Amino acid sequence: MTHRPTTKHASALLVAGCCLAASATTATAQQEPQHVAAATAASAAEANGFGRRSSAATGTTTAGIPVGGLRNLEIIRRKRVLAKSMAASFAREQNQPQQPQSQAQRQDTGSASALDDYEAFFESNLFDLRHLGEASMTAEPTKESDSTPEPSLEATPAPTPVDCNADPERREELIMELLEGLSDDIDDPSTPAGQAADFIINGDPAMVDPCKDPTAVVNRFALSTLYYSTGGEQWRNNDGWLGEDDACDWFGVVCDGDNIVELNLERNNLVGDLPSEIKALEEMRDLKLFRNSLEGTLFTEIGELSNLRTLDLEQNGFTGQIPSEVLDLEDLQFLRASFNEFDGTIPEDIGQLSNLKELWIAETDVGGTIPASIGDCEQLESILMYETDVEGDLPPELFSSDKLTWVDLSETNVGGELPDTFYEATALQKFVMNSTDIDGTLTEDLGNLVDLEQLWIRKTNLAGPIPESVGDLSKLEILLLDENEMTGTIPSTIGGNENLIFLDISNNKIEGTIPSEIFDISALEIAYIGNNTLTGPIPENYYEPDNLRELWVDGNELSGSVPDVPEGKFEQLEELILNKNLLTGAVPESICNLRDDANGKIISLHSDCAQPPSPPQIECECCTKCTTAAGTEDDP
């Protein structure tokens, strides 16, 4: 079975082989014995037969070519059809025999074998790497003996590539040889790959020469396969695609030299399967396909894109498991697979992705537990797994990265207490754990998270008091601890959260009074304190936050009267919910004047003004809803 090279190997050797066929005879006729020129013709063809050497290989190839010069290309007798085609072409164009001279002829000359002479000449003259756009060769030619003439590189003209487009049959044969290892479907015109191959051979207005620019052939094939597979004609933007311009100028394609390094087709109405043929874009670093309509499974060959840093598949319709071959992408930094139908589990070896910064698999069917090896992803900055089937206790290793800023595991089946390592993740800015089975309490170590901006632990089994140290979180903007089993009092230290915008501690078992320090927070816009067992009066300064829009204190045991509001205060207030308490007296006229049908913005004003009883518990001429302390409603 033919051993296929990588695309890089194939591209370099095709260029070398075509250059060789055009110039070898001129050079040999001037400087080498006749049998060397003949051997060169046959060996030139065989230069297009190649195997694959491990990327770790060092030294020189069997022909004496430095391995680093042409990225480990080896001159091996493979791919006979292409070799014979080049040899026959060379012989026709240069009027030279296709085979080396006989053993007797070689003995008559008294020189080394034709193949040995060829190899020395091949190293010295024909592979001038500067002509191929690579670094120049530094190895000295190997001398068989003092009697072997040393070729002169200066006297040898630079190789000139053959125009393979001059012979359509040969051009097609070379293109098919080049594409053979990239797809199993190039011979099937009903497939995207078959359509792409036909386009490259017969329909491409650029008519790329496979001898002069095999990289361009591969690039255009891979991209055109993607085009046919995902309804390219219906894309929102397909500027340049399948046109005569260089593929690097097609919409969404970014190149570094001749290599495609980024493919950004976000929000572009791609519909269909993502073809495996894009594995040919081996230098690609960023694949961005966010918010399209791609479907099917992700091809396992994704692991061959060894330079990939960004794999963004969010908001598509992919199904099946995320291939384990993704773990081969050692440089991967951003794995975004949320909002798909992926299933399976998080790989136990996820820690192999040591450079991973973003792990986003939210709103998928991925399940299982979070592997402890996630602690080996020391560069992790964000973990988004909300609305998945992930379960089990949070592993302490989840918080190992000192760069971790965002964790969201809402609406999963994770449970247990927050591990001690949670309080050591001092870079955390956003922690979201809504609708989970988390239990235990928040400890005073919460104050260590000095960069925390948002803390969402809602609808869980979290118990115990709000830590006093919450006041040390000076950057905190959102604190949502509602619908838990929390007890104790509201710490007065909460007034130290000067940037707090949204506070929700409703639907718990919190007792005591409402500390006036809450209303010293000038940034406060929303405060939900309802449905606890709070007692005492509404603080007199409750109108102080200039941007306060919603204040809910319903469902407690608050007593006393509703404080008057000075002019110029509560100008942004839209909702004031006071019902289901023990408040008495009357809702002040200063509040009624803030209704949206008066001079203010209040659209919801609730109190216990329902009748019966008569008179009501509290009088209100402007409330939008009246209830009793027991909850009976009377809409005025």
Side-chain angles (χ1 to χ4, degrees):
M1 182 177 67
T2 301
H3 190 70
R4 295 295 304 176
T6 64
T7 302
K8 303 188 194 79
H9 293 174
S11 298
L13 276 176
L14 278 173
V15 171
C18 294
C19 294
L20 186 66
S23 60
T25 299
T26 302
T28 54
Q30 294 176 353
Q31 301 173 44
E32 297 294 327
Q34 182 178 3
H35 68 270
V36 176
T40 299
S43 300
E46 295 197 1
N48 285 278
F50 41 84
R52 186 173 183 175
R53 174 177 289 184
S54 168
S55 59
T58 58
T60 60
T61 64
T62 54
I65 304 172
V67 171
L70 277 179
R71 309 181 76 170
N72 304 332
L73 301 180
E74 300 183 53
I75 311 303
I76 298 176
R77 296 167 180 81
R78 304 266 182 136
K79 305 190 70 63
R80 295 294 182 180
V81 173
L82 182 57
K84 290 179 181 179
S85 174
M86 294 299 298
S89 172
F90 175 81
R92 289 195 302 268
E93 293 175 4
Q94 304 300 331
N95 195 26
Q96 293 289 331
Q98 295 185 46
Q99 301 296 330
Q101 292 180 338
S102 66
Q103 179 68 27
Q105 290 173 308
R106 288 198 297 270
Q107 292 173 348
D108 290 343
T109 63
S111 64
S113 71
L115 183 57
D116 290 340
D117 284 343
Y118 162 65
E119 290 176 351
F121 177 79
F122 186 69
E123 175 185 15
S124 303
N125 293 301
L126 297 181
F127 270 77
D128 181 353
L129 300 187
R130 288 167 294 183
H131 177 73
L132 298 179
E134 303 279 355
S136 60
M137 290 174 55
T138 56
E140 293 295 328
T142 302
K143 296 181 180 180
E144 293 287 335
S145 66
D146 292 341
S147 63
T148 302
E150 180 176 347
S152 172
L153 183 61
E154 295 180 357
T156 304
T160 302
V162 173
D163 181 8
C164 290
N165 285 352
D167 185 341
E169 291 185 4
R170 183 174 62 177
R171 177 179 183 271
E172 178 176 352
E173 184 178 14
L174 295 178
I175 289 175
M176 293 299 283
E177 283 286 334
L178 188 60
L179 303 183
E180 181 183 353
L182 303 180
S183 175
D184 295 330
D185 298 327
I186 56 176
D187 293 319
D188 185 351
S190 67
T191 65
Q195 292 174 288
D198 181 68
F199 166 75
I200 297 298
I201 294 170
N202 300 311
D204 189 349
M207 283 294 289
V208 179
D209 189 326
C211 288
K212 295 178 180 178
D213 199 351
T215 298
V217 172
V218 171
N219 287 348
R220 295 174 81 88
F221 168 73
L223 293 177
S224 56
T225 302
L226 175 65
Y227 182 91
Y228 289 119
S229 182
T230 60
E233 292 184 354
Q234 305 301 320
W235 291 357
R236 286 191 175 90
N237 190 335
N238 57 12
D239 290 351
W241 284 71
L242 307 194
E244 62 183 349
D245 291 340
D246 190 297
C248 294
D249 296 324
W250 295 0
F251 172 77
V253 178
V254 178
C255 292
D256 181 2
D258 292 334
N259 296 315
I260 294 175
V261 295
E262 179 177 332
L263 188 57
N264 186 346
L265 295 173
E266 297 178 347
R267 302 180 179 89
N268 205 40
N269 196 38
L270 276 67
V271 179
D273 294 338
L274 183 65
S276 62
E277 284 76 11
I278 64 172
K279 68 185 179 184
L281 306 177
E282 295 178 347
E283 297 295 333
M284 186 159 58
R285 298 193 290 263
D286 302 293
L287 178 59
K288 301 176 181 179
L289 300 171
F290 169 72
R291 194 176 291 177
N292 283 290
S293 298
L294 296 169
E295 56 190 15
T297 58
L298 182 60
F299 55 88
T300 57
E301 295 90 343
I302 191 73
E304 296 181 22
L305 295 174
S306 58
N307 294 293
L308 208 59
R309 300 178 309 189
T310 302
L311 179 58
D312 190 349
L313 307 174
E314 272 203 311
Q315 295 194 26
N316 281 282
F318 288 106
T319 57
Q321 295 191 29
I322 298 174
S324 60
E325 286 79 4
V326 167
L327 299 179
D328 296 334
L329 303 176
E330 296 180 356
D331 293 334
L332 193 64
Q333 298 178 22
F334 308 99
L335 176 55
R336 302 169 184 159
S338 301
F339 303 96
N340 281 285
E341 298 177 27
F342 287 121
D343 54 28
T345 60
I346 303 170
E348 287 294 327
D349 297 329
I350 188 69
Q352 290 181 208
L353 300 177
S354 58
N355 292 302
L356 195 63
K357 295 182 178 181
E358 295 179 359
L359 176 57
W360 297 3
I361 56 172
E363 294 203 32
T364 66
D365 295 326
V366 173
T369 59
I370 301 174
S373 69
I374 198 169
D376 295 329
C377 301
E378 296 181 350
Q379 305 301 316
L380 265 180
E381 298 175 359
S382 57
I383 303 171
L384 305 185
M385 298 183 183
Y386 59 88
E387 295 189 42
T388 65
D389 294 329
V390 173
E391 59 187 5
D393 292 351
L394 296 179
E397 295 83 358
L398 182 68
F399 303 99
S400 295
S401 172
D402 60 6
K403 299 176 177 62
L404 191 62
T405 61
W406 185 10
V407 175
D408 192 337
L409 291 168
S410 296
E411 298 187 47
T412 63
N413 296 315
V414 297
E417 296 187 12
L418 293 172
D420 291 341
T421 53
F422 164 68
Y423 302 102
E424 298 171 4
T426 55
L428 264 181
Q429 299 176 9
K430 185 176 180 180
F431 184 70
V432 186
M433 197 66 62
N434 304 333
S435 300
T436 63
D437 294 328
I438 290 294
D439 55 28
T441 63
L442 290 173
T443 74
E444 289 296 335
D445 290 332
L446 183 67
N448 296 337
L449 307 181
V450 293
D451 286 332
L452 197 63
E453 298 174 359
Q454 300 184 31
L455 178 60
W456 304 42
I457 307 180
R458 307 176 58 243
K459 300 181 180 180
T460 71
N461 298 316
L462 191 67
I466 301 172
E468 293 279 341
S469 62
V470 71
D472 297 333
L473 307 179
S474 60
K475 296 181 181 180
L476 194 64
E477 297 177 354
I478 298 176
L479 177 60
L480 307 182
L481 299 173
D482 55 299
E483 298 191 51
N484 292 307
E485 302 294 328
M486 302 192 76
T487 56
T489 61
I490 304 173
S492 60
T493 56
I494 200 169
N497 303 117
E498 57 186 20
N499 292 301
L500 192 63
I501 296 172
F502 189 0
L503 171 66
D504 190 350
I505 53 175
S506 63
N507 295 287
N508 279 287
K509 300 175 182 179
I510 299 172
E511 55 188 11
T513 61
I514 301 175
S516 62
E517 287 83 359
I518 288 180
F519 302 105
D520 291 336
I521 304 172
S522 60
L524 192 63
E525 296 183 14
I526 301 173
Y528 297 154
I529 315 175
N531 295 305
N532 284 288
T533 55
L534 296 168
T535 59
I538 297 174
E540 289 289 335
N541 66 337
Y542 76 128
Y543 48 73
E544 285 296 343
D546 291 336
N547 296 310
L548 192 61
R549 294 186 289 109
E550 299 179 23
L551 176 59
W552 291 42
V553 296
D554 58 310
N556 285 292
E557 298 176 9
L558 300 177
S559 57
S561 60
V562 180
D564 202 7
V565 178
E567 186 176 354
K569 295 297 184 178
F570 270 173
E571 291 185 342
Q572 304 301 320
L573 193 66
E574 298 175 359
E575 299 181 7
L576 180 60
I577 311 301
L578 306 171
N579 59 319
K580 301 181 184 179
N581 277 292
L582 303 177
L583 297 169
T584 57
V587 174
E589 183 179 356
S590 58
I591 290 180
C592 288
N593 290 336
L594 296 174
R595 279 285 307 270
D596 63 330
D597 55 359
N599 299 317
K601 297 183 177 180
I602 295 179
I603 57 176
S604 296
L605 177 57
H606 300 180
S607 74
D608 295 320
C609 53
Q611 298 189 52
S614 182
Q617 179 178 310
I618 186 170
E619 294 184 359
C620 182
E621 298 179 354
C622 60
C623 285
T624 60
K625 177 176 285 189
C626 288
T627 66
T628 67
T632 304
E633 296 187 7
D634 178 17
D635 294 327

